[in-house]
C-alpha cells in the first residue's frame, strides 16, 4: 500500500508538455511551465528543506569543453567552497539514453555528463564538517533515477544515515532545489524507473505503476522476492512495455500496456540476476544467477532469439546493455571483464520475427560461435556457444556497470570505486578493446 503527499507550495510540473516526441532523439525538452497543483494531504508534515539556497551561477568548471545546448546546466560547487568530505558511493546508474549518469553517495548525489566527461552538478545534503553531529544528520541517497536530462529526479534515501526514509520515493525538482512530492510505502523501496508519463516503484515483492501527471496508481504487480529491485521499462512514447520478475524462479513477466497483454517467459532454470530491455521494448536480454549464459528474447511472443556465452565459470552479472540499434549487447560481471556480443536480430526485426541475415554487412564479426558446427549435437553445448566479439579487462573487486557510448563502437564503464572508462571495440577484428579515456569521478584530478 502506498500513500501520496504533495508539498503545497510549488506546483507540480507536467512531465510531458508536448505529446508529440521531438524528432531529434538527442534532444530532450525540460519540463515546461504548464502545471497544476496536487491535492495536499493536510496530515502530512511539511519536510524541512534539505539543502541551502542555491549559489549564484558558477562558471563552467571545464571552459575548454563544448557545452551541450540541449541540457540545462544546474549549479556546480563553487571553486572557493571547502573541500568535499570523504564520499562513499551507494548507487550508480545511467539515464535513459546513456548520455549521463547519476551517483548516489552517503552525502547526497551527483550528476555527470558522459561525452564529454564532466560533472554537471552535485547536491551535498550535509556539510563538510567531520563532527559526529554532521554525520548523524543524514545525507545518504541509495537511488537516483534521472528522467533523460530534465530537472526532475526520483531519490530514495539509504546508507547508514539516509537523507530520506528508505520506504519513500522523493520527487526532486532541481530548478527549485527541493522535493516537490513523495510516495510512501510500507516496506523499503528497492528501485525506481521513470518515463515521461510513468513512475515505476519496485519493492521487495511488489511493483507499482503511477501516472506521472497526477501520481495516480494505475497498476500493481506481485513478484517473487526481488531484493535487487530488478525492473525495466521501454522509453518510446507510443507504447509502454514493463519487465519484472515473475512469481517463479527464473521467470520474467512482460507487460504490454498498449495491447493490454501479459507475457510470462521462463528464461532460466536459476533465479534471474539481471535483465535489460531495448528502448522500444521489443528485445529482452536476461541472465541468471549462474552468470554463464545470456539469452535474448522477443518480448511479444517470448521466442528465444539468441543465446550467448560469457564464460564457463559461475559469475554474478552486474549489468546488461543493448546498443541503440540492438546490434550489440554488453555484459559486465564480477569477473572483471566487460564483454560485447554481436546480435543476430535488431529491435525492429524482432517485431516482425525476421532475424537479420548472416550476409548482412553490419554483421562483419557477428558469429563468434565455434567453427565446429558441422558436428553440432555431438559435442557438448559449450563448444557450440557464441562468444563475445570484444572484451575489456578491469581490476577485480569492484562493481561495474556498462552502457554503449554515443561515439561509434564505444562503451562507457562505471565502477563503484569511482572509475569512469570509455573504450572502443573493433567490429572487424574484435579482441581487446582500446581504452580511450579514464577518470576517477570521486577525484576529478585523477585522469589519463
Amino acid at each position: 500500500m502506498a500513500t501520496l503527499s504533495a508539498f503545497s507550495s510549488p506546483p507540480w510540473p507536467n512531465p510531458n508538455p508536448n505529446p508529440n516526441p521531438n524528432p531529434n532523439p538527442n534532444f530532450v525538452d525540460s519540463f515546461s511551465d504548464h502545471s497544476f497543483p496536487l491535492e495536499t494531504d493536510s496530515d502530512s508534515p511539511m519536510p524541512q528543506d534539505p539543502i541551502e539556497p542555491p549559489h549564484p551561477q558558477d562558471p563552467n568548471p571545464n571552459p575548454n569543453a563544448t557545452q551541450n545546448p540541449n541540457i540545462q546546466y544546474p549549479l556546480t560547487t563553487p571553486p572557493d567552497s571547502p573541500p568535499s568530505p570523504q564520499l562513499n558511493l551507494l548507487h550508480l546508474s545511467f539515464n535513459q539514453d546513456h548520455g549521463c549518469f547519476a551517483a548516489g553517495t552517503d552525502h547526497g548525489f551527483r550528476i555527470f555528463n558522459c561525452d564529454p566527461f564532466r560533472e554537471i552538478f552535485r547536491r551535498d545534503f550535509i556539510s563538510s564538517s567531520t563532527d559526529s553531529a554532521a554525520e548523524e544528520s543524514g545525507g545518504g541517497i541509495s537511488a537516483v533515477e534521472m528522467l533523460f536530462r530534465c530537472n526532475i529526479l526520483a531519490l530514495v534515501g539509504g546508507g547508514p544515515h539516509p537523507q530520506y526514509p528508505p520506504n519513500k520515493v522523493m520527487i526532486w525538482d532541481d530548478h527549485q532545489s527541493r522535493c516537490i512530492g513523495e510516495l510512501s510505502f510500507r516496506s523499503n523501496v528497492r528501485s525506481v524507473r521513470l518515463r515521461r508519463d510513468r513512475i515505476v516503484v519496485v519493492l521487495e515483492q511488489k511493483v507499482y505503476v503511477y501516472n506521472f501527471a497526477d501520481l495516480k496508481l494505475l497498476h500493481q504487480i506481485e513478484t517473487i522476492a526481488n531484493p535487487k529491485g530488478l525492473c525495466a521499462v521501454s522509453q518510446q512514447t507510443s507504447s509502454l512495455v514493463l519487465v519484472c520478475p515473475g512469481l517463479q524462479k527464473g521467470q520474467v513477466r512482460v507487460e504490454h500496456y498498449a495491447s493490454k497483454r501479459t507475457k510470462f517467459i521462463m528464461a532460466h532454470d536459476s533465479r534471474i540476476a539481471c535483465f535489460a530491455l531495448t528502448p522500444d521494448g521489443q528485445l529482452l536480454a536476461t541472465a541468471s544467477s549462474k552468470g554463464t549464459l545470456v539469452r535474448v528474447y522477443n518480448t511479444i511472443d517470448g521466442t528465444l532469439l539468441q543465446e550467448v556465452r560469457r564464460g564457463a565459470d559461475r559469475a554474478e552479472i552486474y549489468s546488461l546493455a543493448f546498443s541503440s540499434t540492438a546490434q550489440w549487447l554488453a555484459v559486465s560481471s564480477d569477473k572483471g571483464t566487460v564483454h560485447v556480443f554481436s546480435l543476430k536480430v535488431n529491435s525492429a526485426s524482432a517485431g516482425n520475427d525476421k532475424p537479420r541475415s548472416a550476409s548482412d554487412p553490419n554483421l562483419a564479426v557477428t558469429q563468434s560461435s565455434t567453427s565446429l558446427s558441422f558436428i553440432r549435437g555431438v559435442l557438448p553445448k559449450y563448444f557450440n556457444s557464441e562468444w563475445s566479439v570484444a572484451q575489456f579487462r578491469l581490476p577485480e573487486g569492484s562493481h561495474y556497470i556498462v552502457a554503449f557510448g554515443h561515439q561509434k563502437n564505444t562503451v562507457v564503464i562505471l565502477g563503484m570505486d569511482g572509475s569512469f572508462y570509455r573504450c572502443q571495440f573493433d567490429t572487424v577484428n574484435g579482441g581487446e578493446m582500446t581504452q580511450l579515456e579514464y577518470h576517477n569521478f570521486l577525484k576529478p584530478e585523477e585522469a589519463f
Side-chain angles (χ1 to χ4, degrees):
M1 178 178 178
T3 59
L4 165 66
S5 298
F7 303 156
S8 58
S9 55
W12 185 260
N14 179 4
N16 190 16
N18 180 8
N20 297 318
N22 192 303
N24 180 355
N26 296 322
F27 179 83
V28 178
D29 290 321
S30 292
F31 290 171
S32 74
D33 294 331
H34 303 300
S35 59
F36 50 88
L38 285 171
E39 294 183 4
T40 303
D41 183 357
S42 58
D43 295 330
S44 299
M46 290 292 290
Q48 306 242 340
D49 198 335
I51 66 171
E52 297 178 359
H55 300 276
Q57 181 66 44
D58 301 311
N60 180 0
N62 187 8
N64 296 323
T66 302
Q67 287 195 351
N68 186 336
N70 300 327
I71 182 170
Q72 299 189 14
Y73 286 88
L75 306 179
T76 55
T77 301
D80 56 351
S81 62
S84 296
Q86 180 66 38
L87 293 178
N88 292 312
L89 275 177
L90 304 177
H91 168 89
L92 274 178
S93 63
F94 289 97
N95 73 339
Q96 289 83 354
D97 66 2
H98 303 156
C100 299
F101 68 93
T105 75
D106 53 357
H107 290 169
F109 67 92
R110 301 181 180 189
I111 305 296
F112 297 84
N113 196 64
C114 290
D115 188 12
F117 170 82
R118 64 185 292 268
E119 182 178 312
I120 300 174
F121 72 98
R122 68 176 66 179
R123 294 290 175 255
D124 286 335
F125 295 136
I126 64 174
S127 69
S128 59
S129 171
T130 56
D131 60 37
S132 59
E135 288 298 320
E136 293 295 331
S137 64
I141 299 295
S142 65
V144 186
E145 178 73 359
M146 299 179 67
L147 181 59
F148 290 94
R149 293 170 177 262
C150 76
N151 53 298
I152 300 297
L153 302 96
L155 306 178
V156 179
H161 307 292
Q163 174 68 10
Y164 308 110
N167 66 321
K168 292 186 177 183
V169 175
M170 310 301 294
I171 308 300
W172 175 271
D173 183 351
D174 207 74
H175 283 173
Q176 303 182 47
S177 292
R178 59 172 294 162
C179 293
I180 58 172
E182 66 180 51
L183 291 163
S184 298
F185 302 88
R186 291 180 175 175
S187 61
N188 288 356
V189 175
R190 298 303 184 186
S191 68
V192 185
R193 299 290 181 265
L194 297 183
R195 280 171 47 107
R196 291 187 180 93
D197 57 353
R198 297 289 186 271
I199 300 176
V200 180
V201 181
V202 185
L203 308 184
E204 179 85 22
Q205 292 184 292
K206 283 266 194 178
V207 176
Y208 292 93
V209 181
Y210 296 88
N211 187 43
F212 210 144
D214 55 10
L215 295 189
K216 179 182 178 182
L217 178 62
L218 301 177
H219 193 202
Q220 51 183 310
I221 302 169
E222 292 188 10
T223 70
I224 196 171
N226 184 17
K228 292 183 177 180
L230 299 178
C231 184
V233 294
S234 64
Q235 293 299 327
Q236 280 193 351
T237 55
S238 58
S239 64
L240 168 58
V241 180
L242 180 149
V243 179
C244 63
L247 288 169
Q248 303 177 41
K249 181 179 66 175
Q251 183 187 68
V252 290
R253 173 173 179 157
V254 184
E255 290 289 336
H256 293 272
Y257 285 94
S259 58
K260 298 181 180 179
R261 291 191 304 114
T262 302
K263 183 69 181 178
F264 292 94
I265 301 173
M266 284 304 305
H268 299 273
D269 295 330
S270 307
R271 65 176 176 83
I272 301 295
C274 190
F275 53 70
L277 192 64
T278 51
D280 61 7
Q282 302 254 356
L283 296 180
L284 172 69
T286 67
S288 74
S289 56
K290 287 184 63 176
T292 54
L293 298 173
V294 177
R295 292 171 176 151
V296 179
Y297 292 91
N298 181 335
T299 62
I300 297 175
D301 59 12
T303 303
L304 175 61
L305 301 174
Q306 191 171 351
E307 181 180 274
V308 297
R309 180 172 289 275
R310 180 212 56 82
D313 298 331
R314 295 181 71 100
E316 182 179 358
I317 302 297
Y318 289 144
S319 70
L320 300 170
F322 287 97
S323 65
S324 59
T325 60
Q327 183 180 350
W328 309 102
L329 177 69
V331 181
S332 67
S333 74
D334 64 349
K335 293 298 185 182
T337 301
V338 169
H339 295 268
V340 172
F341 297 88
S342 180
L343 298 183
K344 297 174 182 176
V345 294
N346 59 25
S347 192
S349 68
N352 299 324
D353 295 330
K354 293 180 180 178
R356 291 190 298 176
S357 166
S359 61
D360 189 322
N362 292 325
L363 298 180
V365 192
T366 3
Q367 321 302 337
S368 297
S369 55
T370 178
S371 59
L372 299 175
S373 58
F374 65 94
I375 50 172
R376 188 181 301 273
V378 177
L379 291 175
K381 189 176 181 180
Y382 174 88
F383 292 98
N384 295 321
S385 298
E386 295 184 41
W387 297 85
S388 59
V389 170
Q391 308 83 34
F392 185 74
R393 309 195 186 278
L394 296 153
E396 290 191 44
S398 186
H399 185 135
Y400 298 96
I401 62 173
V402 62
F404 285 89
H406 287 188
Q407 297 181 32
K408 188 176 182 181
N409 303 330
T410 60
V411 295
V412 173
I413 305 166
L414 308 176
M416 289 296 288
D417 58 358
S419 56
F420 171 98
Y421 295 89
R422 189 195 317 280
C423 306
Q424 188 168 46
F425 58 95
D426 188 329
T427 61
V428 176
N429 299 314
E432 291 292 325
M433 298 188 216
T434 301
Q435 179 178 310
L436 303 178
E437 194 174 357
Y438 169 83
H439 301 273
N440 186 323
F441 55 83
L442 297 180
K443 301 175 182 177
E445 68 279 3
E446 294 186 13
F448 61 85

